[in-house]
């Protein structure tokens, strides 16, 4: 159908506007092409390199420019900063450079470090929360946060910490031990991550020579 043809052309990302209309015994298609991205540029970034930021966006040199993709890329960049433990105010714009080409420019205002504000354990009875936190390479923010990076939330590092805690329990006879859940949330009031780890310790087993 005419409407399907119009949507098919728009979905290619090559056109800003598509009009499909009957003309005589056939149809006429009028299109306005999207501009081509001349380059992708980042302004104001120092904590994350432009090379790393470029990997996070879908806007690429030589691709058609589309405002929807630009808006989506702004959110991708904010997420990249969040994963790096920082806040950032980011905006994107297209700068015409002639010959239907534009520069996709992202302006970044980097904010403060947003690390792990608290690590809480639920369900632990045999060992204190402070003992379990001591087994982790992920740490909470404190007065030394300016000098360290272990308090930045890292999904892979936290996963390794949970395995270390599991090995700790297993080596002490808690063969039924398991991590029930790990809840990681960003608290906008505290401007940092809150981690809640729920455990099921089970009963300890002792092993000895049979009589």
């Amino acid at each position: 159908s005419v409407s399907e043809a119009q949507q098919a052309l728009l979905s290619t990302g090559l056109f800003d506007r598509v009009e499909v209309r009957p003309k005589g015994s056939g149809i006429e298609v009028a299109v306005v092409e999207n501009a081509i991205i001349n380059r992708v540029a980042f302004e104001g970034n120092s904590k994350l390199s432009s090379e790393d930021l470029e990997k996070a966006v879908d806007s690429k040199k030589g691709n058609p420019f589309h405002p929807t993709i630009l808006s989506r890329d702004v959110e991708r960049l904010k997420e990249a900063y969040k994963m790096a433990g920082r806040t950032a105010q980011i905006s994107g714009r297209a700068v015409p450079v002639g010959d239907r080409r534009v520069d996709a420019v992202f302006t970044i205002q980097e904010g403060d470090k947003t690390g792990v504000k608290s690590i809480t354990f639920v369900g632990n009875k045999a060992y204190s929360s402070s003992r379990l936190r001591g087994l982790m390479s992920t740490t909470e923010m404190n007065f030394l946060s300016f000098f360290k990076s272990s308090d930045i939330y890292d999904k892979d590092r936290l996963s390794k910490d949970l395995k270390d805690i599991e090995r700790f329990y297993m080596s002490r006879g808690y063969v039924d031990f398991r991590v029930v859940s790990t809840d990681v949330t960003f608290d906008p009031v505290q401007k940092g991550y809150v981690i809640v780890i729920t455990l099921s310790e089970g009963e300890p087993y002792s092993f000895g020579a049979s009589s």
Side-chain angles (χ1 to χ4, degrees):
S1 69
V2 170
S3 62
E4 288 174 337
Q6 185 179 29
Q7 288 303 315
L9 286 170
L10 285 171
S11 66
T12 65
L14 297 173
F15 307 108
D16 178 56
R17 219 166 43 248
V18 175
E19 292 182 11
V20 183
R21 49 183 176 259
K23 186 176 183 181
S25 60
I27 60 172
E28 181 180 71
V29 180
V31 300
V32 176
E33 292 180 327
N34 278 324
I36 299 299
I37 298 175
N38 178 63
R39 70 185 180 106
V40 179
F42 302 92
E43 301 175 338
N45 57 305
S46 61
K47 303 302 181 183
L48 295 182
S49 69
S50 295
E51 290 77 11
D52 287 338
L53 294 177
E54 194 165 355
K55 295 175 184 176
V57 299
D58 286 334
S59 296
K60 304 292 183 186
K61 178 180 178 179
N63 284 1
F65 171 81
H66 200 284
T68 301
I69 295 177
L70 188 75
S71 298
R72 190 167 62 219
D73 285 342
V74 167
E75 298 306 314
R76 286 174 176 266
L77 291 173
K78 289 179 180 178
E79 187 63 25
Y81 268 93
K82 185 181 291 187
M83 294 304 295
R86 290 193 174 274
T87 58
Q89 294 182 7
I90 303 173
S91 61
R93 68 187 190 278
V95 180
V97 295
D99 194 26
R100 293 203 59 78
R101 302 179 76 84
V102 298
D103 287 346
V105 181
F106 297 94
T107 301
I108 302 168
Q109 184 177 347
E110 295 177 331
D112 296 330
K113 179 178 176 181
T114 55
V116 176
K117 287 294 185 177
S118 66
I119 302 172
T120 303
F121 289 92
V122 177
N124 55 309
K125 299 177 182 178
Y127 300 99
S128 67
S129 295
S130 60
R131 176 74 184 278
L132 298 179
R133 278 193 292 267
L135 301 172
M136 303 174 66
S137 56
T138 302
T139 62
E140 297 175 332
M141 295 185 73
N142 55 30
F143 66 95
L144 295 174
S145 289
F146 184 78
F147 302 99
K148 64 179 183 176
S149 60
S150 60
D151 57 356
I152 292 177
Y153 170 64
D154 184 306
K155 182 179 179 180
D156 293 334
R157 179 166 56 195
L158 180 60
S159 179
K160 179 181 178 301
D161 288 338
L162 296 178
K163 290 184 183 302
D164 288 341
I165 292 172
E166 182 180 10
R167 279 193 291 269
F168 172 80
Y169 270 94
M170 292 289 188
S171 67
R172 285 158 175 76
Y174 288 85
V175 296
D176 294 329
F177 172 84
R178 63 189 180 93
V179 177
V180 177
S181 64
T182 307
D183 184 30
V184 181
T185 57
F186 181 80
D187 188 333
V189 176
Q190 298 187 63
K191 295 182 179 179
Y193 289 93
V194 175
I195 301 175
V196 179
I197 303 169
T198 303
L199 310 176
S200 175
E201 292 180 329
E203 297 296 326
Y205 292 83
S206 60
F207 300 91
S210 58
S211 56

